[in-house]
Amino acid sequence: MAPYIAVSALSHEGLVREHNEDSLAVGPWTLCATVTTNPQTLLFPLGPPCVVAVADGLGGHPGGEVASTLVARRLAAGGSGLDGEEAVREELQECNRAVYAAAAGDPGLAAMGTTVAGLVLLPGQAVVFNVGDSRVYRVTGDGLQRVSVDDSPPPPPGRRTTSLVTQTLGGSLGLTFVEPHVRVAPLAAGDRYLVCSDGLTDPVPEEELAELLARTHESPERADGKAAFELWKAAVEAGGPDNITLALVRIGE
């Protein structure tokens, strides 16, 4: 059987926020600033570039959901052309310019911005990218390995997390250059990744996420829908302080 990509994803407003400002792109599909209560699982052939990305609109700024939607839709529409590291880097610069251009056209959207984190899956390689503090993890039998780079200062003493971000797509009043984090990792059958907004990682420590995922690591991908649900449930049980968006990716054969 030819190798394929299975993605189980959901997006939810959490327990505190009134609106969901997160957006998600999975291949050509998007879920923008809307709520799902059940994980959806999508299958794609491993061949043409396939993007899986989470964008988390900046809270406290107007138009967070507009910025995250714009970026998710751009990545979904152009994802099939992202054939390597350089193409991904250029597309993220274009996304940044597009957010600023949209904000410039509407005073109500001044300084809107979003984070983004994700993967482009290609035969034999994964291009991992992020701007901001949404994350990408490689899920292994030993636990979670963070492969994105948080754009945030170290948390204050005694705290595990910080809500400050040092770099976003958009987010200030004038066009600001971004330096996306982009790296290439080898990709093989059985590989698993988690892409998520900080609404998952802020309330739930990495050790707990790793423990939940370890239970389903050897299972076929139909267990990933359940695993995605369990991750969401852990964030809600920890107070659900923010929008929660996540995608579990598995390479099957």
Side-chain angles (χ1 to χ4, degrees):
M1 197 174 150
Y4 62 94
I5 302 158
V7 185
S8 296
L10 59 73
S11 187
H12 189 269
E13 78 271 32
L15 299 181
V16 175
R17 300 285 168 92
E18 284 180 31
H19 308 290
N20 190 4
E21 296 191 9
D22 288 359
S23 296
L24 176 74
V26 181
W29 301 88
T30 57
L31 192 65
C32 296
T34 185
V35 168
T36 51
T37 47
N38 296 311
Q40 306 298 312
T41 299
L42 300 169
L43 302 178
F44 303 91
L46 181 60
C50 179
V51 67
V52 180
V54 168
D56 177 355
L58 294 186
H61 292 228
E65 72 285 357
V66 178
S68 72
T69 294
L70 189 156
V71 168
R73 287 190 175 150
R74 269 196 74 105
L75 290 172
S80 59
L82 300 176
D83 56 3
E85 189 175 345
E86 204 41 54
V88 170
R89 205 177 286 281
E90 280 173 25
E91 178 56 37
L92 293 172
Q93 304 284 9
E94 288 298 323
C95 284
N96 186 49
R97 283 192 277 270
V99 172
Y100 278 108
D106 183 342
L109 299 177
M112 74 170 176
T114 183
T115 71
V116 70
L119 299 159
V120 178
L121 301 154
L122 301 157
Q125 66 173 31
V127 183
V128 180
F129 61 86
N130 78 286
V131 176
D133 60 355
S134 291
R135 288 182 181 170
V136 183
Y137 291 96
R138 186 156 181 263
V139 184
T140 69
D142 298 330
L144 286 182
Q145 175 194 359
R146 198 188 307 174
V147 286
S148 55
V149 180
D150 278 1
D151 283 314
S152 49
R159 294 285 303 278
R160 193 174 53 79
T161 61
T162 173
S163 59
L164 299 173
V165 280
T166 52
Q167 180 173 246
T168 55
L169 301 176
S172 45
L173 288 171
L175 176 61
T176 303
F177 181 75
V178 289
E179 193 58 71
H181 304 281
V182 186
R183 58 179 285 194
V184 175
L187 188 70
D191 282 358
R192 258 178 122 196
Y193 281 92
L194 168 65
V195 183
C196 60
S197 64
D198 65 351
L200 177 64
T201 52
D202 278 358
V204 189
E206 282 179 7
E207 306 76 58
E208 194 180 329
L209 296 175
E211 209 172 284
L212 284 168
L213 288 166
R215 291 180 209 157
T216 54
H217 190 61
E218 300 307 324
S219 316
E221 72 283 341
R222 64 176 164 269
D224 283 354
K226 183 172 187 307
F229 182 82
E230 294 286 340
L231 293 172
W232 167 78
K233 199 169 115 205
V236 166
E237 285 174 353
D242 199 354
N243 306 149
I244 306 154
T245 301
L246 63 102
L248 264 179
V249 180
R250 187 189 291 263
I251 306 303
E253 61 179 346

